[in-house]
């Protein structure tokens, strides 16, 4: 009988510790997001989405990145249009990332796009790397 009581006690203690560890891990978890887009105008609803998620997530809101790939990178040279998106993105804590592979393919000089934009070698690879880190992802 003593062995049964001791076994139940140890099982309960182990389960309780595992549950507490899982709960505290969830409390420390931040929500990170990445969106891959091929159209500059989609930055507007992406930024609005980030604002809504930041409000919903509260302190759990983490990183939010919008990756721009494809032929639309040619439009990034219009600094007047881009500055509006950049200002809104910064206020919403959204990092705008540009696919370097797309810049090369469509012969867009990195120096011709706003310096506030981060360029990565390969936008699709960057997206997958973020997903491997647990980012929630969508492609538009």
């Amino acid at each position: 009988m003593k062995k049964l009581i001791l076994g139940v006690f140890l099982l309960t203690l182990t389960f309780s510790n595992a549950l507490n560890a899982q709960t505290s891990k969830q409390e420390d978890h931040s929500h990170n997001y990445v969106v891959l887009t091929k159209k500059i105008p989609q930055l507007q609803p992406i930024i609005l989405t980030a604002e809504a998620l930041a409000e919903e997530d509260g302190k759990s809101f983490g990183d939010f990145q919008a990756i721009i790939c494809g032929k639309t990178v040619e439009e990034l040279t219009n600094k007047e249009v881009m500055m509006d998106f950049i200002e809104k993105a910064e206020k919403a804590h959204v990092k705008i990332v540009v696919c370097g592979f797309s810049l090369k393919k469509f012969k867009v000089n990195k120096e011709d796009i706003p310096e506030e934009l981060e360029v990565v070698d390969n936008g699709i690879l960057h997206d997958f790397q973020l997903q491997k880190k647990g980012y929630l992802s969508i492609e538009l």
Side-chain angles (χ1 to χ4, degrees):
M1 185 71 166
K2 287 181 183 179
K3 286 184 180 180
L4 178 63
I5 293 173
L6 182 61
V8 170
F9 175 74
L10 290 176
L11 185 62
T12 304
L13 184 62
T14 303
F15 180 74
S16 176
N17 285 341
L19 187 60
N20 287 338
Q22 184 178 8
T23 302
S24 68
K25 191 174 185 180
Q26 287 174 345
E27 291 170 1
D28 295 339
H29 179 71
S30 62
H31 301 285
N32 298 310
Y33 306 93
V34 59
V35 178
L36 182 71
T37 185
K38 298 177 186 170
K39 297 180 182 176
I40 301 294
Q42 288 180 336
L43 287 173
Q44 181 64 31
I46 290 169
I47 293 167
L48 292 173
T49 299
E51 291 171 340
L53 287 169
E55 185 176 328
E56 182 179 305
D57 292 351
K59 291 181 180 181
S60 295
F61 184 76
D63 188 35
F64 195 111
Q65 296 187 29
I67 304 171
I68 301 171
C69 289
K71 188 168 176 58
T72 197
V73 297
E74 294 172 332
E75 299 172 41
L76 296 174
T77 59
N78 185 339
K79 292 183 181 178
E80 188 176 315
V81 170
M82 287 309 302
M83 287 313 293
D84 185 46
F85 286 124
I86 290 168
E87 289 171 8
K88 289 177 182 176
E90 286 176 350
K91 287 179 186 173
H93 305 287
V94 174
K95 182 191 307 182
I96 301 175
V97 179
V98 180
C99 175
F101 180 78
S102 295
L103 291 176
K104 289 176 190 170
K105 181 176 180 181
F106 297 104
K107 297 177 176 55
V108 176
N109 186 338
K110 183 179 173 181
E111 305 302 318
D112 293 337
I113 65 172
E115 63 184 26
E116 294 85 356
L117 305 180
E118 178 182 342
V119 177
V120 295
D121 290 335
N122 183 326
I124 296 170
L125 175 61
H126 183 69
D127 186 19
F128 278 123
Q129 290 169 333
L130 292 176
Q131 288 181 49
K132 285 169 50 175
K133 292 179 181 179
Y135 279 61
L136 298 173
S137 177
I138 189 169
E139 180 182 340
L140 301 177

